[in-house]
Amino acid sequence: MTRTYRVAGISGSLRKGSYNTATLRAAQELAPGSLDIDIVTLDDTPLFNEDVEAVGWPDRIQDLRERVQAADAVIFAAPEYNYSIAGVLKNAIDWLSRPEGDAPLNGKPAAIVGATPAFVGTARGQAHLRQVVFYNAMPLLPTAEVLIARAGERFDDEGQLTDEETRAVLKDMLEKFAAWVDRHA
Ligand SMILES: Cc1cc2nc3c(=O)[nH]c(=O)nc-3n(C[C@H](O)[C@H](O)[C@H](O)COP(=O)(O)O)c2cc1C
């Protein structure tokens, strides 16, 4: 690999103590040198409305678009809500999937990570997210899944990912993702 790729790490949680945002911080630490991860949070993102879009991007959306547009690739950190993805993340994806054909997400290689205090590790939410990003023609990293169950036991009170096994899984995914991004560059 000859260059560094910029990655937008989009967290679908607004929570200060979010395990998903914490997973992106751990990813910054564990990623190979060819990936530079910018953590993008979705605070104050307005609800998608085609009437607003017709008038022009709101400032918050313009900022979000520019950060994702500047990235070569995307990692979604996706909380699972009601067996699906969080509305906050879906709403951001709706904005970032516009305009059709020239959207910031369009065609960017992507990976998904997810963390939950529960036992199924966001598997159901991730399956839904795979379907959603299909619309944006994003080549999704196959096979290397990061499904963090029982997150309360794997992160410390400061939000550091301390569980060695989970760190190794995340590191392995990031190494595979670096090759995947390079392949799709
Ligand atoms: C409305 C709601 C629905 C939830 N549904 C699920 C669920 O279906 N599966 C699951 O594993 N956790 C579920 N949870 C628990 C979340 O995984 C938990 O709140 C998690 O900490 C959210 O991610 P975060 O730590 O990044 O904020 C739900 C939480 C809320 C508030």
Side-chain angles (χ1 to χ4, degrees):
M1 265 168 254
T2 53
R3 54 166 287 202
T4 300
Y5 295 101
R6 199 177 167 85
V7 179
I10 302 178
S11 173
S13 173
L14 305 180
R15 213 164 65 80
K16 248 188 283 162
S18 163
Y19 292 121
N20 286 282
T21 309
T23 302
L24 289 173
R25 287 197 303 272
Q28 284 179 317
E29 207 188 302
L30 296 168
S34 63
L35 298 183
D36 178 14
I37 302 175
D38 173 34
I39 298 181
V40 177
T41 50
L42 301 173
D43 314 68
D44 304 319
T45 307
L47 289 175
F48 181 79
N49 178 336
E50 281 193 76
D51 293 339
V52 174
E53 182 194 35
V55 177
W57 310 116
D59 289 349
R60 180 70 184 96
I61 297 303
Q62 183 60 30
D63 171 61
L64 192 58
R65 286 175 57 79
E66 284 171 13
R67 284 178 71 182
V68 175
Q69 204 102 53
D72 302 293
V74 175
I75 296 176
F76 295 102
E80 181 175 284
Y81 278 4
N82 294 302
Y83 292 1
S84 184
I85 61 172
V88 166
L89 180 59
K90 176 63 165 58
N91 180 58
I93 291 172
D94 291 343
W95 281 113
L96 293 167
S97 67
R98 307 284 289 179
E100 210 171 332
D102 188 29
L105 290 177
N106 201 39
K108 293 210 160 116
I112 300 172
V113 299
T116 172
F119 295 93
V120 186
T122 75
R124 296 163 292 213
Q126 291 198 26
H128 278 189
L129 183 53
R130 284 183 174 267
Q131 178 176 330
V132 170
V133 302
F134 186 68
Y135 182 81
N136 291 280
M138 303 178 84
L140 265 181
L141 180 69
T143 67
E145 296 182 302
V146 177
L147 302 157
I148 305 177
R150 302 195 321 273
E153 299 167 24
R154 300 178 199 272
F155 291 84
D156 68 14
D157 293 343
E158 276 74 52
Q160 295 290 319
L161 179 61
T162 48
D163 182 69
E164 285 306 327
E165 191 188 354
T166 309
R167 288 176 72 85
V169 167
L170 182 57
K171 189 167 190 289
D172 177 65
M173 182 282 274
L174 290 162
E175 281 160 7
K176 290 180 173 136
F177 189 51
W180 184 252
V181 173
D182 194 51
R183 189 170 139 192
H184 289 88

